[in-house]
């Protein structure tokens, strides 16, 4: 692809993350989108692959490995929890999973340079009729953070540039001393 691309799945047999960055794009996206309990996992090469968000809802580490110098995460997890009233077993298990995913997303987001957390209105992932409203909320939150993103990017570039200059200086001194 012209723009570097990776997507993440998790192997239910081993618990290991599987990063797709080459090969069949459709197969990679289908495996990465196999939402547990809704879309069956995909069998591939002895693995049973499901949505990568199971183990890594905000894949900052994957982006870093791709060579990104500046990482912006977008955390679309739940922003708040509505009280449960007389919950049944499935509601309790569902809420426990939501809390785990939210906390894991928060931890993973800490590794990003900037995290954008738009109001997701606690929308269930399959409520596609609300997509326009969610996109609008995401754009608004990004606009609110525009100057912070720009400032952090400048700082990062400045530091990155200084580190490169320093390393070039050191390697030049080593060459001179060797000669």
């Amino acid at each position: 692809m012209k723009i570097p691309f990776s997507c993440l799945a998790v192997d239910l047999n081993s618990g290991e993350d599987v990063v797709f960055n080459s090969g069949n794009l459709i197969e990679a996206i289908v495996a990465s989108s196999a939402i547990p309990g809704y879309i069956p996992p995909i069998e591939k090469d002895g693995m049973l692959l499901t949505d990568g968000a199971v183990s890594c809802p905000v894949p900052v580490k994957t982006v870093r490995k791709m060579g990104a110098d500046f990482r912006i995460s977008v955390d679309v997890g739940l922003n708040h929890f509505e009280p449960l009233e007389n919950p049944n077993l499935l509601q309790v298990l569902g809420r426990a999973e939501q809390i785990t995913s939210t906390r894991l997303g928060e931890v993973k987001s800490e590794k990003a340079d900037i995290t954008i957390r738009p109001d997701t209105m606690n929308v269930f992932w399959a409520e596609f009729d609300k997509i326009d409203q969610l996109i609008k909320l995401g754009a608004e939150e990004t606009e609110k953070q525009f100057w912070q993103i720009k400032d952090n990017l400048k700082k990062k570039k400045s530091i990155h540039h200084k580190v490169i200059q320093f390393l070039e200086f050191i390697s030049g001194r080593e060459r001179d001393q060797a000669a």
Side-chain angles (χ1 to χ4, degrees):
M1 297 180 68
K2 290 182 181 182
I3 298 173
F5 173 82
S6 290
C7 65
L8 192 65
V10 65
D11 178 11
L12 291 174
N13 292 330
S14 69
E16 296 293 320
D17 290 339
V18 178
V19 178
F20 290 94
N21 52 22
S22 64
N24 185 317
L25 181 63
I26 293 172
E27 185 178 81
I29 292 172
V30 168
S32 179
S33 302
I35 299 168
Y38 297 96
I39 301 171
I42 307 303
E43 293 184 52
K44 178 180 171 45
D45 302 329
M47 296 181 290
L48 194 57
L49 301 174
T50 194
D51 184 358
V54 167
S55 66
C56 189
V58 185
V60 177
K61 186 176 178 181
T62 302
V63 174
R64 180 179 296 138
K65 285 182 179 179
M66 292 174 66
D69 293 325
F70 189 79
R71 294 161 304 276
I72 300 174
S73 72
V74 180
D75 186 350
V76 294
L78 293 175
N79 297 8
H80 63 279
F81 298 99
E82 296 296 325
L84 295 174
E85 308 239 352
N86 300 318
N88 62 37
L89 176 62
L90 287 178
Q91 289 170 317
V92 170
L93 291 173
R95 176 57 59 87
E97 188 278 327
Q98 289 172 331
I99 292 169
T100 300
S101 292
T102 298
R103 298 296 185 271
L104 181 59
E106 290 169 355
V107 168
K108 295 288 187 175
S109 292
E110 289 174 5
K111 305 253 188 248
D113 296 291
I114 293 282
T115 298
I116 299 170
R117 287 188 174 88
D119 180 4
T120 58
M121 306 180 311
N122 284 354
V123 169
F124 181 63
W125 67 266
E127 292 182 73
F128 300 116
D129 60 314
K130 297 193 171 107
I131 191 76
D132 291 334
Q133 191 174 9
L134 291 169
I135 290 170
K136 181 179 179 232
L137 290 168
E140 288 171 359
E141 187 60 32
T142 303
E143 285 177 22
K144 286 179 191 174
Q145 294 194 39
F146 176 79
W147 293 110
Q148 183 181 1
I149 292 168
K150 191 172 179 177
D151 289 345
N152 284 5
L153 189 55
K154 276 185 193 175
K155 288 177 191 171
K156 190 80 159 196
K157 281 185 174 180
S158 174
I159 292 168
H160 185 258
H161 179 69
K162 289 177 183 175
V163 168
I164 289 172
Q165 284 181 324
F166 175 74
L167 293 174
E168 288 172 351
F169 172 75
I170 295 297
S171 67
R173 284 183 62 194
E174 289 174 356
R175 274 194 307 262
D176 292 344
Q177 289 174 352

